[in-house]
Amino acid sequence: MTTESTIQFTPERLAEAKEIIARYPEGRQKSALLPLLHLMQEQEGWTSTEGMDYIARMLDIQPIEVYEVATFYTMYHVQPVGKHVIEYCRTGPCCLMGGDDVLAHLKQRLGIETGQTTVDGQFTLKEVECLAACGMGPVFQVREQYYMHLTNDRVDEIIDELSKQA
């Protein structure tokens, strides 16, 4: 039994998806998987199972092949997330530079635990492995923006700043 997805790329994103797929030789369309997952996430805010199934059909691959990739990389959100996803580095160097205390403050300030979203839908907190800024820890990332040398006061400033964004 085949079910059609209600999630589809917009016409503009579909054109972009086709252009991405065309970059790869015949039989190698699976190579477009990462950029298509990014495209879906940009459009929907996260990557649902339905969205992953849609991508699998576009690439003529099994849905499990998309699920494996989407759940492996922390940059893909497979659950609904807030407007601002804070990806907090939990590796040794950041912890040694006070990262545990800053993370505890961040959780307290937002009123959530790791993996949760604030009631107002503004912030989701994720713990991730190394963000490759080991000499500048503690560090977290929101989209492509890195926030380094974090202190409790700096965290408060950043949260206030992000909260004001429309």
Side-chain angles (χ1 to χ4, degrees):
M1 179 168 138
T2 304
T3 58
E4 280 303 309
S5 173
T6 57
I7 291 184
Q8 298 180 28
F9 284 127
T10 63
E12 298 80 19
R13 288 198 198 300
L14 181 57
E16 187 176 349
K18 288 179 179 179
E19 185 274 319
I20 290 168
I21 294 168
R23 294 177 192 165
Y24 302 99
E26 185 66 35
R28 302 281 186 212
Q29 292 84 359
K30 184 178 178 180
S31 299
L33 179 54
L34 295 176
L36 292 185
L37 284 168
H38 280 295
L39 204 59
M40 179 61 70
Q41 187 161 284
E42 287 171 11
Q43 176 177 304
E44 300 296 321
W46 66 294
T47 306
S48 66
T49 302
E50 192 175 8
M52 289 185 264
D53 291 348
Y54 175 71
I55 290 171
R57 285 191 301 277
M58 286 186 80
L59 297 175
D60 195 26
I61 60 176
Q62 294 299 311
I64 188 65
E65 295 176 84
V66 181
Y67 305 159
E68 289 169 338
V69 171
T71 58
F72 177 78
Y73 292 105
T74 58
M75 65 188 152
Y76 298 116
H77 311 304
V78 295
Q79 298 292 324
V81 293
K83 179 179 178 181
H84 306 288
V85 178
I86 298 172
E87 296 176 307
Y88 194 91
C89 182
R90 291 291 296 146
T91 51
C94 282
C95 291
L96 288 172
M97 291 188 262
D100 287 336
D101 293 336
V102 173
L103 179 60
H105 176 75
L106 179 61
K107 289 177 179 181
Q108 183 273 326
R109 168 69 196 265
L110 296 175
I112 59 174
E113 292 295 319
T114 301
Q116 295 180 335
T117 300
T118 56
V119 182
D120 63 4
Q122 287 294 304
F123 297 95
T124 296
L125 180 60
K126 292 175 76 172
E127 292 182 20
V128 297
E129 290 303 315
C130 188
L131 290 172
C134 299
M136 295 167 271
V139 62
F140 67 62
Q141 175 179 344
V142 178
R143 287 176 289 289
E144 291 79 30
Q145 176 68 46
Y146 273 51
Y147 296 91
M148 299 169 281
H149 304 291
L150 295 171
T151 63
N152 293 349
D153 290 340
R154 180 69 182 124
V155 164
D156 289 340
E157 291 170 9
I158 294 164
I159 297 303
D160 290 344
E161 193 176 295
L162 292 171
S163 295
K164 293 176 187 172
Q165 293 180 3

